[in-house]
């Protein structure tokens, strides 16, 4: 029996998008091509082997109820397209990537009804994210029902992937076949920025924070740290680039040492990081923060930058244990802001401690390229397809 086709649907503009979702999807797709899978992309922008979706992709800056409504509408379009595809002959294998959670939730249910096998790429663990953000109460009828239905999606998936070991533990606890859950890490784009920049001696010490300025990112802490550093070492600069629900907080900061660049094209990120000496990744402390590993951390490492992380999450433990920077426990907001600001001012001379962090990053950065995780994904999918009694089909979303 020949290998089934793979439909990689991605509700993003690909590959030129700054969004982590689109970047992950693009590299998973390239790995599938390298592994010999026929590949079709479902996206919002035209391109090679692309089916262009008609309904718009939900914007993270929209209020949560509005975004969820648009995610449901997008699911309707995808379900109709899959049903028509199923009627025409042998089904594909569908790879769904969550978020957008509501879209993937309904499409996964439709796949089960239509007899289409699917892989579930859980970039975030839902509905836990909704519980942690206070959108839905865990103990409510809706919360309990949603959790039960999501467990069904995990159980019936041909394979489940997730970028975090802690997320994998959470999912494995909900399904009988723990071996069907694979950790497929994110990473930095080792095709776009293969060489680390040289140390920037003689230039102002610069901290960078880029990417989604979302609800889980502690922008208030970032501004508090920049404010304290301005008082201690006014020559130290902060560069911020990105977009999202908390964008206005950065746009109207009023700080003399912070420059906001706005939303950048994905291809412009390496140039931004070449202007920096230290990467910052601040996540709000909540029940799900321990499994957090922001994509920006990988991109900092790929650019040869030491990293400061809070709280001490999965990303923080790696940075701390590999001596690639510092991880700060989530304590009182004033205390943690003071501790991070003090560490930045100490590092601003690019002394032995900062150099040791940088040396560790340069020595280990190639372990965290996108290609490693993406090829692992393709290998795992090939094993699922080749197994006895394998599903006839796969669709993907990144």
């Amino acid at each position: 029996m020949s290998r089934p086709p793979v439909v990689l649907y991605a509700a993003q503009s690909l590959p030129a998008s700054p969004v982590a979702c689109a970047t992950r999807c693009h590299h998973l797709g390239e790995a599938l091509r390298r592994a010999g899978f026929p590949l079709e992309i479902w996206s919002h922008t035209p391109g090679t082997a692309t089916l262009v979706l008609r309904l718009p992709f939900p914007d993270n800056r929209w209020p949560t109820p509005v975004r969820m409504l648009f995610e449901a509408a997008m699911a309707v379009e995808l379900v109709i397209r899959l049903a028509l595809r199923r009627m025409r002959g042998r089904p594909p294998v569908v790879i769904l990537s969550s978020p957008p959670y509501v879209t993937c939730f309904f499409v996964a249910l439709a796949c089960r009804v239509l007899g289409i096998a699917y892989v579930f790429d859980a970039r975030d663990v839902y509905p836990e994210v909704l519980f942690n953000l206070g959108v839905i109460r865990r103990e409510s009828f809706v919360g309990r029902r949603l959790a039960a239905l999501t467990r069904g999606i995990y159980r019936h998936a041909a394979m489940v992937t997730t970028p975090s070991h802690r997320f994998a533990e959470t999912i494995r606890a909900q399904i009988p076949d723990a071996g069907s859950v694979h950790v497929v890490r994110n990473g930095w784009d080792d095709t776009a920025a293969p060489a680390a920049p040289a140390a920037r001696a003689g230039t102002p010490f610069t901290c960078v924070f880029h990417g989604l300025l979302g609800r889980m990112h502690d922008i208030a802490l970032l501004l508090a740290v920049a404010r304290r550093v301005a008082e201690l070492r006014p020559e130290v600069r902060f560069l911020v680039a990105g977009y999202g629900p908390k964008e206005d907080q950065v746009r109207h900061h009023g700080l003399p040492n912070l420059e906001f660049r706005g939303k950048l094209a994905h291809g412009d990120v390496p140039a931004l990081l070449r202007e920096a000496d230290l990467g910052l990744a601040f996540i709000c402390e909540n029940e799900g923060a321990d499994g957090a590993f922001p994509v920006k951390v990988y991109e900092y490492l790929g650019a040869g930058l030491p990293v400061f992380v809070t709280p001490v999450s999965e990303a923080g433990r790696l940075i701390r244990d590999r001596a690639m920077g510092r991880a700060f426990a989530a304590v009182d907001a004033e205390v943690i802001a003071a501790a991070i600001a003090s560490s930045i001012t100490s590092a601003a001379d690019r002394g032995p401690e900062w150099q040791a962090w940088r040396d560790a990053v340069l020595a280990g950065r190639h372990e965290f390229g996108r290609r490693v995780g993406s090829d692992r994904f393709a290998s795992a999918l090939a094993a699922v397809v080749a197994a006895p009694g394998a599903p006839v089909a796969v669709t993907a979303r990144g």
Side-chain angles (χ1 to χ4, degrees):
M1 182 181 294
S2 62
R3 228 176 235 174
V6 174
V7 176
L8 173 60
Y9 90 75
Q12 286 286 356
S13 53
L14 294 174
S17 170
V19 183
C21 165
T23 306
R24 180 175 174 90
C25 178
H26 169 68
H27 286 275
L28 293 182
E30 291 303 300
L32 291 170
R33 285 193 176 102
R34 288 194 296 271
F37 283 97
L39 184 63
E40 181 180 321
I41 296 171
W42 293 11
S43 179
H44 281 95
T45 53
T48 306
T50 299
L51 184 152
V52 181
L53 300 176
R54 306 227 174 228
L55 293 178
F57 184 76
D59 194 313
N60 280 322
R61 289 170 289 192
W62 296 347
T64 300
V66 175
R67 191 176 72 251
M68 293 174 75
L69 181 63
F70 271 81
E71 289 182 12
M74 193 166 67
V76 172
E77 177 180 0
L78 290 168
V79 169
I80 291 172
R81 290 185 182 278
L82 280 173
L84 293 174
R85 180 71 173 264
R86 184 70 179 90
M87 292 168 57
R88 290 201 301 266
R90 191 182 182 195
V93 178
V94 179
I95 304 167
L96 303 167
S97 180
S98 172
Y101 170 66
V102 176
T103 302
C104 293
F105 178 83
F106 285 114
V107 174
L109 291 179
C111 284
R112 290 167 60 183
V113 172
L114 294 168
I116 297 175
Y118 63 90
V119 171
F120 200 83
D121 182 33
R123 294 189 305 110
D124 281 319
V125 179
Y126 281 83
E128 279 74 10
V129 170
L130 300 177
F131 299 154
N132 296 334
L133 292 175
V135 176
I136 299 172
R137 289 189 302 109
R138 187 185 299 272
E139 304 78 15
S140 67
F141 171 79
V142 173
R144 294 197 308 272
R145 187 62 183 151
L146 204 53
L149 289 170
T150 304
R151 284 195 295 273
I153 291 173
Y154 291 143
R155 288 184 180 128
H156 290 90
M159 182 173 80
V160 179
T161 56
T162 188
S164 158
H165 286 285
R166 181 52 58 92
F167 292 170
E169 291 173 11
T170 301
I171 296 170
R172 285 172 181 145
Q174 303 181 53
I175 60 178
D177 183 11
S180 68
V181 181
H182 302 263
V183 175
V184 177
R185 285 198 176 277
N186 291 307
W188 60 280
D189 188 351
D190 43 4
T191 62
R200 299 173 351 100
T203 58
F205 190 86
T206 302
C207 304
V208 66
F209 186 106
H210 87 93
L212 181 64
L213 306 174
R215 294 173 178 83
M216 297 184 69
H217 298 272
D218 200 338
I219 306 305
L221 175 61
L222 172 66
L223 297 177
V225 169
R227 189 172 296 111
R228 285 178 176 271
V229 172
E231 298 169 356
L232 299 169
R233 296 284 295 267
E235 75 278 12
V236 173
R237 301 169 61 229
F238 287 77
L239 285 180
V240 181
Y243 76 102
K246 295 184 177 179
E247 181 178 333
D248 283 347
Q249 294 182 33
V250 188
R251 191 177 295 279
H252 306 296
H253 58 81
L255 296 169
N257 61 341
L258 190 150
E259 178 185 352
F260 180 54
R261 299 278 181 89
K263 184 177 181 179
L264 295 183
H266 180 65
D268 294 333
V269 171
L272 174 78
L273 300 184
R274 282 195 292 271
E275 298 182 50
D277 302 279
L278 180 70
L280 305 177
F282 301 159
I283 299 295
C284 293
E285 174 70 5
N286 58 42
E287 190 177 340
D290 187 68
F293 206 123
V295 174
K296 60 173 60 70
V297 173
Y298 291 113
E299 291 175 328
Y300 297 152
L301 296 177
L305 301 180
V307 187
F308 282 5
V309 180
T310 184
V312 185
S313 57
E314 187 163 320
R317 287 188 289 274
L318 182 140
I319 294 299
R320 179 196 62 198
D321 296 347
R322 299 285 295 266
M324 293 174 165
R326 282 189 174 166
F328 297 84
V331 291
D332 177 82
E334 289 295 316
V335 173
I336 192 172
I340 295 173
S342 175
S343 293
I344 288 174
T345 57
S346 296
D349 294 320
R350 301 184 180 94
E353 184 177 43
W354 176 85
Q355 189 60 55
W357 293 335
R358 178 176 163 80
D359 290 345
V361 171
L362 294 178
R365 61 193 281 270
H366 291 290
E367 299 174 36
F368 307 107
R370 285 270 184 186
R371 181 156 184 156
V372 174
S374 299
D375 285 345
R376 184 174 295 122
F377 176 87
S379 296
L381 182 56
V384 167
V385 170
V392 235
V394 185
T395 298
R397 203 208 143 242

